[in-house]
Amino acid sequence: MIKEQVDVRKDALVLSRELVEMPRPLELLSESEIEKKHCISRVMTYVLKHLTSQFASNGFEWLLPVILSQSTDPLWPDQCASIEKRVELEIYGKTVRATASMIIHKLVACSIISPKLFSLSPNVRIEKSERGTSGVHAYEFTQLDFEVRNASSRDIRSFVEGVICRLIENLKEDMGEELLYLGRYDDLRKPRIPFELYDKAELEKEYGVQWEKRMLCEIDYPVWVTNLPREFYDFEDFQSGKWDNYDLLLPQYGEVLSGGKREFEFGKIGKKMERDNVRKENYSLLLRLAEEGRLKPSAGAGIGIERLVSWITGAKHIGETQLFPKIPGIVYDL
Ligand code: ATP
Ligand code: ASP
Ligand code: MG
């Protein structure tokens, strides 16, 4: 059932895009393609510099990312997950996994040491090959992942809204030449705050399973969608069945951020893992901290950097924002 929904939703997104040429590796690019790539790369530098300084100046501590750990994001059950293979290997007699997202590390670090933290974290997700043509999936990408102890969903959403608005405003001031060259100067407009907020259950009632495709064509500015059934770590009200979480959708491009208020109670986390067939033994530390009452309430989110830069630069394929494109189904030398 979940799988059918996945395919309907994402295929719809794929079909709504014109057929896009796959980004090629650097050594095969023509002079003009190199010029464009270089321009996108300068915008990427600006975006990274701007975002990290906004987080740091708002009191967030900057964590370096990790690559191999026993626990990582299960990426399940997410109605849109499409993982072909999990990257796992044995080291020193233990099984470790390539980081799918820093969520578990964020929850632990935020509870124990840094009440406000962020990381630029490489994520490895071996997406199914057919996602190579979605235009928005790479099999390696970077999240600006952040978490705040005792924050509410609303706190996180307003912070993100401020960050995005300041970014657009500053980009237009400082990167005007690049945006003009990319044909994005006029269309990239600072959104009004607060962004609109929709409930996924209501969108589905109104538009059916293809609600996202419909939204992406209709919106001119970023919008929030809340109440998304997702992984065990997002907060679910067992009484109402509602999820206190959110995605941020960008016009034409789709989801650029996912996040939520988090579960921290041992009993609830355990119940959700059992219900969702998530292997508890892969999350023993998190469960132990929760049982000891050391896991703290928090909320946070992760911004897909390449998707954000795709939207800003008008890239037709996310691989255009990567110097070394990691396109599902295609493995280049670098
Ligand atoms: P989608 O449904 O679009 O495949 P997701 O909901 O599975 O994405 P999340 O697990 O919520 O993705 O990841 C957090 C953020 O990381 C997403 O909002 C997106 O910006 C980014 N992201 C996720 N998967 C990819 C990918 N394969 N390539 C590039 N960015 C991604
Ligand atoms: N970064 C996401 C979050 O904070 C987790 C994910 O990658 O799905 O919720
Ligand atoms: Mg998501």
Side-chain angles (χ1 to χ4, degrees):
M1 179 58 192
I2 284 177
K3 175 141 199 331
E4 270 168 30
Q5 285 189 354
V6 170
D7 292 341
V8 171
R9 191 177 147 205
K10 286 293 163 185
D11 285 354
L13 206 61
V14 174
L15 290 176
S16 72
R17 293 178 155 265
E18 35 191 294
L19 268 186
V20 172
E21 215 182 293
M22 287 298 161
R24 287 171 297 128
L26 283 184
E27 69 279 10
L28 297 183
L29 299 184
S30 66
E31 290 278 313
S32 64
E33 287 169 328
I34 288 175
E35 199 184 326
K36 184 171 177 197
K37 191 106 185 168
H38 195 197
C39 183
I40 295 176
S41 170
R42 289 198 301 277
V43 175
M44 173 68 85
T45 303
Y46 187 92
V47 168
L48 290 172
K49 192 172 143 201
H50 197 270
L51 291 180
T52 51
S53 51
Q54 285 205 63
F55 276 78
S57 62
N58 274 282
F60 284 77
E61 285 162 36
W62 193 342
L63 255 67
L64 287 178
V66 296
I67 305 289
L68 297 174
S69 318
Q70 295 188 67
S71 292
T72 192
D73 194 328
L75 299 178
W76 178 260
D78 176 330
Q79 295 201 343
C80 289
S82 149
I83 297 301
E84 177 161 308
K85 186 175 183 167
R86 309 254 163 193
V87 179
E88 294 185 353
L89 63 145
E90 298 287 317
I91 53 170
Y92 313 118
K94 300 263 191 207
T95 303
V96 290
R97 298 166 180 90
T99 301
S101 90
M102 285 271 287
I103 184 70
I104 307 298
H105 300 75
K106 284 198 307 180
L107 298 184
V108 171
C110 185
S111 296
I112 295 181
I113 180 159
S114 306
K116 279 175 105 175
L117 61 88
F118 77 102
S119 185
L120 277 175
S121 124
N123 292 182
V124 177
R125 301 189 187 177
I126 312 303
E127 306 273 2
K128 291 203 162 72
S129 297
E130 53 263 33
R131 288 205 156 176
T133 53
S134 75
V136 293
H137 290 96
Y139 65 85
E140 271 185 42
F141 61 94
T142 301
Q143 276 197 68
L144 195 166
D145 229 338
F146 63 99
E147 201 67 25
V148 183
R149 199 187 294 167
N150 291 323
S152 67
S153 289
R154 191 187 285 253
D155 295 334
I156 300 296
R157 288 198 299 263
S158 355
F159 176 69
V160 169
E161 290 174 0
V163 166
I164 300 276
C165 286
R166 280 188 292 276
L167 174 65
I168 302 298
E169 202 168 30
N170 284 278
L171 269 166
K172 292 195 81 160
E173 263 175 47
D174 300 335
M175 300 298 281
E177 215 172 287
E178 282 79 1
L179 294 177
L180 277 170
Y181 168 83
L182 294 163
R184 287 292 286 153
Y185 189 86
D186 292 331
D187 289 344
L188 199 64
R189 277 165 295 162
K190 191 174 115 179
R192 251 172 274 120
I193 282 178
F195 301 175
E196 284 178 60
L197 175 69
Y198 297 91
D199 183 301
K200 188 220 170 199
E202 280 158 29
L203 288 171
E204 217 163 42
K205 240 187 264 159
E206 198 168 337
Y207 300 121
V209 285
Q210 297 204 8
W211 61 270
E212 188 174 345
K213 181 187 172 196
R214 186 75 185 264
M215 292 285 289
L216 299 191
C217 299
E218 285 182 4
I219 57 176
D220 292 321
Y221 290 101
V223 297
W224 295 107
V225 179
T226 180
N227 187 20
L228 303 130
R230 230 167 55 101
E231 288 89 345
F232 70 82
Y233 47 76
D234 278 4
F235 190 90
E236 181 182 358
D237 181 333
F238 279 172
Q239 251 85 54
S240 66
K242 282 197 176 256
W243 291 69
D244 189 358
N245 60 4
Y246 34 84
D247 277 1
L248 183 66
L249 304 187
L250 299 175
Q252 310 293 332
Y253 282 83
E255 181 190 321
V256 70
L257 165 155
S258 273
K261 179 174 148 183
R262 313 301 183 182
E263 301 287 8
F264 64 96
E265 285 172 27
F266 175 67
K268 254 185 115 182
I269 296 177
K271 267 191 203 132
K272 290 174 89 176
M273 285 181 169
E274 282 159 25
R275 176 190 73 186
D276 300 342
N277 286 321
V278 169
R279 296 166 66 159
K280 286 187 180 173
E281 64 272 26
N282 293 350
Y283 299 94
S284 22
L285 171 68
L286 192 79
L287 285 164
R288 194 167 74 237
L289 292 177
E291 191 169 22
E292 291 167 356
R294 295 173 69 198
L295 202 60
K296 303 286 181 236
S298 67
I303 301 172
I305 292 293
E306 294 86 346
R307 285 194 190 173
L308 179 65
V309 172
S310 293
W311 174 63
I312 291 168
T313 59
K316 290 205 164 65
H317 193 288
I318 192 167
E320 290 174 39
T321 69
Q322 299 180 301
L323 284 195
F324 305 104
K326 302 290 178 187
I327 305 166
I330 303 179
V331 177
Y332 294 134
D333 285 55
L334 298 181

